[in-house]
Amino acid sequence: MAFRPLIFGVLFIAVLVMVILSITWVDKSHPIRQPDPLAPSTTPSNPPPSVQ
């Protein structure tokens, strides 16, 4: 009997299924598009004090 091709076939199918599942599995609790926390904001929440 040919056990080696059977083992390789089963491993190939398992890896293929794992790749498909990892691509389709998305965590819905986090938004997909998140702003960069280190990016400079266009509207500062606390403007710098005026220098006199």
Side-chain angles (χ1 to χ4, degrees), residues 1-43:
M1 287 197 187
F3 285 114
R4 191 176 300 167
L6 180 66
I7 292 172
F8 284 134
V10 169
L11 286 177
F12 178 76
I13 297 295
V15 169
L16 190 65
V17 168
M18 295 281 286
V19 168
I20 292 172
L21 287 178
S22 67
I23 289 173
T24 59
W25 180 74
V26 176
D27 191 4
K28 302 291 184 185
S29 64
H30 298 291
I32 295 174
R33 179 82 176 140
Q34 292 182 347
D36 189 6
L38 298 178
S41 63
T42 56
T43 57

